[in-house]
Amino acid sequence: MAQRKRIFIDMDDTLCQFRKRYAEKLKSHPEIAYPQSQYGFFADLEPIPGAVEAYKTLEKSYDVYILTAPSYLNPLCYTEKRVWVEKHLGLETTPNLIICQRKEFLMGDYLIDDHFYPFTGKMMLFGSPEFPNWEKVLEYLA
Ligand SMILES: [Mg+2]
């Protein structure tokens, strides 16, 4: 059997709704300049529509990893990302969580991310006209 291809998937604004919560918090607590520094911010993010289902679908045919750059000024962020993965993708997915500031160091076939990184494989820019949502990502990788 051929080796399965490897996919890396970003968290903030690819799997989870970072910007939405950030905007809500700024509105409700304008005195807090960096809402992402608050306890519970990362753990409580809502999933992007279709993201959890897409992850589960991709896992059937690919080696899928979560690759997220932490908010390194907030040490809680590292733990809360792990909490989020268990909550939405299950305990069995937590070994596939990679928290790394330098995504370009990772070797793989696809990187699905809302930020562009110089990546050795195919960079799939989430939210771009080509990949505006998870439906389009799945179509491409089907
Ligand atoms: Mg992101």
Side-chain angles (χ1 to χ4, degrees):
M1 194 175 129
Q3 181 134 10
R4 279 152 55 111
K5 290 192 170 175
R6 186 181 301 149
I7 299 180
F8 297 111
I9 304 178
D10 171 47
M11 288 185 79
D12 296 329
D13 291 318
T14 300
L15 285 176
C16 20
Q17 302 198 37
F18 177 96
R19 267 178 306 199
K20 183 181 175 214
R21 182 152 207 102
Y22 182 85
E24 286 168 0
K25 290 281 176 188
L26 274 188
K27 208 172 173 189
S28 62
H29 294 88
E31 72 283 6
I32 299 169
Y34 302 100
Q36 72 274 39
S37 68
Q38 299 295 299
Y39 175 79
F41 181 90
F42 285 96
D44 292 340
L45 296 179
E46 288 167 42
I48 297 264
V52 169
E53 298 78 3
Y55 189 99
K56 295 292 174 194
T57 300
L58 291 172
E59 260 187 337
K60 291 175 189 159
S61 329
Y62 294 90
D63 283 334
V64 187
Y65 293 86
I66 298 159
L67 178 55
T68 180
S71 176
Y72 59 87
L73 295 176
N74 173 10
L76 295 169
C77 167
Y78 294 68
T79 300
E80 291 188 14
K81 282 176 176 287
R82 158 64 176 76
V83 168
W84 193 96
V85 169
E86 180 175 353
K87 186 170 160 189
H88 294 282
L89 295 166
L91 182 63
E92 69 280 6
T93 304
T94 58
N96 289 28
L97 171 62
I98 301 168
I99 300 177
C100 178
Q101 208 60 244
R102 301 295 298 272
K103 295 189 182 185
E104 67 274 21
F105 287 177
L106 279 289
M107 303 288 286
D109 299 288
Y110 303 95
L111 172 61
I112 306 169
D113 202 304
D114 68 308
H115 282 274
F116 178 85
Y117 286 88
F119 179 66
T120 53
K122 161 107 178 141
M123 174 74 229
M124 297 175 68
L125 194 60
F126 192 79
S128 67
E130 193 181 5
F131 302 111
N133 52 40
W134 277 104
E135 203 183 331
K136 292 288 175 192
V137 170
L138 286 183
E139 261 175 39
Y140 182 86
L141 292 170

